[in-house]
Each structure stands twice: as structure tokens, then as C-alpha cells.
Amino acid sequence: MPKQQSAAPMASERKPITPEIFASLRVVSDPTISPDGKRVAYTLAEWAPGEQRRRVSVWVVSAEQTSDGRLPEPTLVAAVGKHDSQARWSPDGQWLAFLSNREEEGGFGKAQVYVAPAAGGAARRVCAMPNGAGALAWSPDSQRLAFTTL
């Protein structure tokens, strides 16, 4: 019986992680499953060339495979801001709330609460807190959002 080879690279094939390689990594975090279990919202952090920082955006992808067995393409929830985070599904699955520090009039450059239709469409800001917002939570009837601020 032939010996199986490991998929891990040999020590001589390994390369050190350079700042450029590290910066180019795309990092997925904070996955949240929709109430019906058919979609997943998550954040994606990736290097923003020319801005010398990571940009974090909210994406949604179907949890079901396509008819040919492939995974579906994810969709961007809203235009990429500087830092979007904490995507949370409304209990009825119709809305997705998230935090973003987009610098709009009255946004103060700090994280504010935005809500977007889960089926797609423009996100709208629902608060303008001078010190920003955090820790999102929906009411059980999907009619209200709670959040913290200083």
C-alpha cells in the first residue's frame, strides 16, 4: 500500500510571513445565521490599498449549495464603509442591522447603527450618537433595536 502524502508543505517549502503577506490576508469573522437557517451574514476584513488599513464590510451568503453543488457567491450588504461590524438578523429575518463608522453628515465618524433589507437594498442609518453605538440587539418582534453608547 503506497504511503499517503501530507498536504502540509515540507519545512524547506515554507516561507516566512512578511508584512505584505499578512496585510493581503482576507479575514472572515462574526458569522451569524439567519432565523430561517438559509443565509449567513459575516464580516470580511481585507487590506485597503492606498489607505494603509484594513476595511471591514458585511456580506451575506446562502447556506445552501447551488443546483450544480457549488457554494453560492456572497453579496455585499451595503456600500463598503470604513469599518462595518456586528451584523445581526432581525428575528423575522427581514432586516439586517450592523454598525458602521461611515462619515456621513451627523455620523460623527464613530460607529452608528444601520439597517438594510435582508433581501437587498440600501442601508440606512437609524441613529446619530455623538460617542458612537455598540452591542446591537433586536427586540423579539423585530420592531426595535437596542444598543449601547457612552
Side-chain angles (χ1 to χ4, degrees):
M1 178 182 269
K3 184 178 178 183
Q4 290 185 336
Q5 291 189 353
S6 170
M10 302 283 283
S12 62
E13 297 173 355
R14 294 182 188 163
K15 296 178 183 176
I17 294 180
T18 64
E20 293 79 17
I21 292 172
F22 183 75
S24 71
L25 296 175
R26 295 172 51 156
V27 180
V28 173
S29 64
D30 197 18
T32 307
I33 300 171
S34 65
D36 64 7
K38 294 183 179 179
R39 295 168 289 177
V40 178
Y42 61 92
T43 58
L44 175 67
E46 54 191 335
W47 186 250
E51 297 178 37
Q52 300 302 306
R53 64 176 181 83
R54 285 189 173 273
R55 178 181 297 139
V56 184
S57 51
V58 175
W59 293 77
V60 173
V61 68
S62 173
E64 301 172 348
Q65 293 180 344
T66 61
S67 59
D68 61 2
R70 293 183 307 140
L71 293 175
E73 290 293 319
T75 55
L76 183 63
V77 169
V80 177
K82 288 186 173 184
H83 188 91
D84 297 345
S85 64
Q86 292 188 34
R88 301 293 180 257
W89 295 98
S90 61
D92 64 8
Q94 300 299 307
W95 301 95
L96 197 58
F98 60 96
L99 299 177
S100 180
N101 69 345
R102 301 159 194 218
E103 292 184 18
E104 297 177 346
E105 184 178 331
F108 305 105
K110 302 204 182 228
Q112 303 296 330
V113 179
Y114 286 76
V115 176
R124 64 183 171 87
R125 191 181 70 221
V126 297
C127 73
M129 306 305 293
N131 294 318
L136 289 175
W138 283 94
S139 64
D141 64 0
S142 301
Q143 297 299 307
R144 294 174 187 83
L145 274 166
F147 58 89
T148 60
T149 189
L150 296 175

